[in-house]
Amino acid sequence: MKVLVPVKRVVDYNVKVRVKSDGSGVDIANVKMSMNPFDEIAIEEAVRLREKGVATEVIAVSCGVTQCQETLRTAMAIGADRAILIDTAEELQPLAVAKLLKAIVDKEQPGLVILGKQAIDDDCNQTGQMLAALCDLPQATFASKVEIADGHARVTREVDGGLEVVSLTLPAIITTDLRLNEPRYVTLPNIMKAKKKQMDIFKPADLGVDVAPHIKTLKVKEPPQRSAGVKVADVAALVDKLKNEAKVI
């Protein structure tokens, strides 16, 4: 069984992002980029499935600029067998990414697609669900445990009220939550081995997919700075501030 794992190149989660002066977006010039943390969890889970003998091949795929090759090399250093890059400088919105991934699913025919529940840059949480709809495949989102057996995936999902367990018929789409696993440390020997692994590069046109954006960002701005806290003399003063300044009571 092939396992397909989409990964996204995002601003590293340790970086404090800055908004461009014209408000057109986030400034990523000279900013450290890394793999989306939820996608890293997805790669780790796919590699564990292969190590258990459930999967035979793990394929990492990324959509974006040429520098996404670095993200794919990281995925192969974690344990992916090969990689596919869909090279484009266009702004990719979730629907466009889902269409590109559908083309790869049609081409590779994986038994399972595992991807992060959302990217930490746009927080859309849409790609996995859209991909499942386009491919007409069963889906389980926010997975915290995955078990594969007898052509089915038993997935424990994190929901508002606690945990929900669902059974999917393979092939299927699964999106990962934080508690699914802890990704392994990438060692130098594996980084060197990843440089020799196969990476295929396509353009959206090669896959017959139109990636033109349908949503326009009007303006991006930073949240207002929090004001400093104040000390009050007594309970009466506290109640007065909560009522007349904060207006919460």
Side-chain angles (χ1 to χ4, degrees):
M1 180 180 74
K2 291 182 183 177
V3 180
L4 188 73
V5 186
V7 295
K8 186 176 183 181
R9 178 177 182 262
V10 299
V11 175
D12 190 87
Y13 67 92
N14 288 311
V15 173
K16 179 175 172 56
V17 295
R18 302 183 304 275
V19 174
K20 292 180 180 178
S21 57
D22 60 0
S24 61
V26 174
D27 186 7
I28 61 171
N30 302 315
V31 169
K32 181 183 177 183
M33 308 292 283
S34 61
M35 186 189 301
N36 181 48
F38 291 104
D39 298 339
E40 196 172 358
I41 291 169
I43 279 284
E44 174 66 27
E45 190 65 21
V47 172
R48 291 186 185 187
L49 289 175
R50 191 195 60 211
E51 290 172 346
K52 291 175 184 175
V54 175
T56 55
E57 185 180 29
V58 176
I59 307 165
V61 57
S62 189
C63 310
V65 294
T66 305
Q67 289 88 335
C68 290
Q69 292 187 34
E70 301 168 11
T71 307
L72 289 171
R73 293 293 177 196
T74 301
M76 289 190 286
I78 293 172
D81 298 292
R82 58 187 174 95
I84 298 172
L85 171 63
I86 304 171
D87 190 358
T88 176
E90 289 279 345
E91 177 195 353
L92 293 176
Q93 294 173 353
L95 181 57
V97 175
K99 288 179 178 178
L100 291 170
L101 293 177
K102 180 188 183 298
I104 297 299
V105 168
D106 292 342
K107 179 181 175 64
E108 294 290 342
Q109 294 293 309
L112 185 64
V113 181
I114 307 180
L115 63 162
K117 69 173 184 178
Q118 66 193 74
I120 62 171
D121 52 1
D122 56 23
D123 268 340
C124 282
N125 184 14
Q126 294 175 333
T127 305
Q129 293 88 327
M130 288 178 170
L131 177 61
L134 291 172
C135 296
D136 194 24
L137 292 176
Q139 62 174 310
T141 54
F142 318 130
S144 61
K145 186 178 181 181
V146 176
E147 300 168 291
I148 308 292
D150 301 324
H152 288 77
R154 183 181 171 88
V155 181
T156 303
R157 301 181 60 236
E158 298 200 1
V159 295
D160 291 342
L163 299 175
E164 176 186 52
V165 180
V166 296
S167 179
L168 310 176
T169 302
L170 298 180
I173 313 287
I174 296 175
T175 71
T176 65
D177 215 324
L178 276 175
R179 279 156 289 279
L180 179 58
N181 61 53
E182 184 175 341
R184 69 193 67 191
Y185 179 75
V186 179
T187 62
L188 182 58
N190 286 338
I191 293 173
M192 301 306 293
K193 289 176 185 176
K195 293 181 179 180
K196 299 179 181 179
K197 291 184 178 180
Q198 176 185 345
M199 182 184 297
D200 299 318
I201 300 176
F202 300 98
K203 296 286 187 181
D206 300 334
L207 303 171
V209 177
D210 178 16
V211 296
H214 297 282
I215 300 173
K216 182 180 179 182
T217 301
L218 300 179
K219 190 173 184 180
V220 176
K221 62 179 182 179
E222 294 186 12
Q225 289 196 352
R226 295 175 62 181
S227 56
V230 295
K231 290 183 178 181
V232 293
D234 50 34
V235 174
L238 173 61
V239 172
D240 178 67
K241 285 187 175 294
L242 289 175
K243 184 176 181 180
N244 299 314
E245 291 186 22
K247 299 187 184 301
V248 295
I249 59 173

